[in-house]
Amino acid sequence: MNKLLLPLVLGAALTSAVSHAAPEEFVYKKPARGAASESKMRGVYDLIENPTGSAAKARLAILTGMLETKGAAWVLEQEGDGYVLARWDYKGHSIFHRIEYTADAVQIKYAGGLDAYECEMLVGDYCYKTHSNYYKYNQSLVKQITRALGRL
């Protein structure tokens, strides 16, 4: 994707976030050959339990986790009621996530990608096929959010 299209990617992510900002159970639906395995998908998109019982603490855990990921930190692009729009950049490639939260749970949803992280197989808010490292990098984010929730 051309970097000039970045505002369009963010605009689409924000429109989607406003209308659907609520964690929901992830149901694996292998759409076609070449999709990521269920375990890789669950490692990124499964609900993260919020043991704090507080949406404000969930937000803080998300922001903390974004800073503590291994390698490049995630950047806050935008936020709204019940979601944070985050961006991760690496060697000219970008991932955008809408990270939704409530007092009960946190969930990562795919909101766009540039260059290597453009989704080739998008079903709803979940990317089933993109660069193979996408799932590894995002599991680091899940791990840090989970750790931060446990410390609050």
Side-chain angles (χ1 to χ4, degrees), residues 126-139:
Y126 309 107
C127 183
Y128 280 79
K129 183 177 180 185
T130 187
H131 191 281
S132 60
N133 287 336
Y134 169 86
Y135 304 97
K136 176 177 72 173
Y137 294 143
N138 286 293
Q139 286 174 352

Side-chain angles (χ1 to χ4, degrees), residues 1-14 77 85-89 92-96 111-115:
M1 180 183 289
N2 185 319
K3 297 216 187 285
L4 296 176
L5 296 177
L6 181 59
L8 295 175
V9 170
L10 290 175
L14 289 173
E77 283 289 328
L85 185 64
R87 185 188 83 233
W88 182 83
D89 300 304
H93 309 280
S94 300
I95 299 170
F96 297 90
L114 295 175
D115 295 328

Side-chain angles (χ1 to χ4, degrees), residues 26 37-46 48 108 135-136 138-143 146:
F26 170 68
S37 70
E38 183 172 359
S39 63
K40 283 184 180 181
M41 296 286 293
R42 289 197 175 284
V44 176
Y45 300 122
D46 265 350
I48 303 167
I108 293 173
Y135 304 97
K136 176 177 72 173
N138 286 293
Q139 286 174 352
S140 173
L141 177 60
V142 169
K143 180 179 179 179
T146 303

Side-chain angles (χ1 to χ4, degrees), residues 18-54:
V18 171
S19 61
H20 299 96
E24 59 192 14
E25 185 176 342
F26 170 68
V27 177
Y28 182 78
K29 298 176 183 175
K30 186 173 182 178
R33 185 180 170 116
S37 70
E38 183 172 359
S39 63
K40 283 184 180 181
M41 296 286 293
R42 289 197 175 284
V44 176
Y45 300 122
D46 265 350
L47 289 173
I48 303 167
E49 183 180 340
N50 179 3
T52 70
S54 164

Side-chain angles (χ1 to χ4, degrees), residues 31-115:
R33 185 180 170 116
S37 70
E38 183 172 359
S39 63
K40 283 184 180 181
M41 296 286 293
R42 289 197 175 284
V44 176
Y45 300 122
D46 265 350
L47 289 173
I48 303 167
E49 183 180 340
N50 179 3
T52 70
S54 164
K57 287 184 179 180
R59 178 186 171 275
L60 179 59
I62 292 165
L63 297 175
T64 301
M66 287 168 53
L67 292 173
E68 294 179 350
T69 55
K70 184 177 179 180
W74 287 77
V75 177
L76 175 66
E77 283 289 328
Q78 180 74 27
E79 67 179 305
D81 189 24
Y83 75 94
V84 169
L85 185 64
R87 185 188 83 233
W88 182 83
D89 300 304
Y90 183 70
K91 294 184 178 180
H93 309 280
S94 300
I95 299 170
F96 297 90
H97 281 313
R98 192 176 66 247
I99 307 172
E100 300 176 353
Y101 61 91
T102 63
D104 299 317
V106 173
Q107 185 178 36
I108 293 173
K109 294 183 179 178
Y110 183 84
L114 295 175
D115 295 328

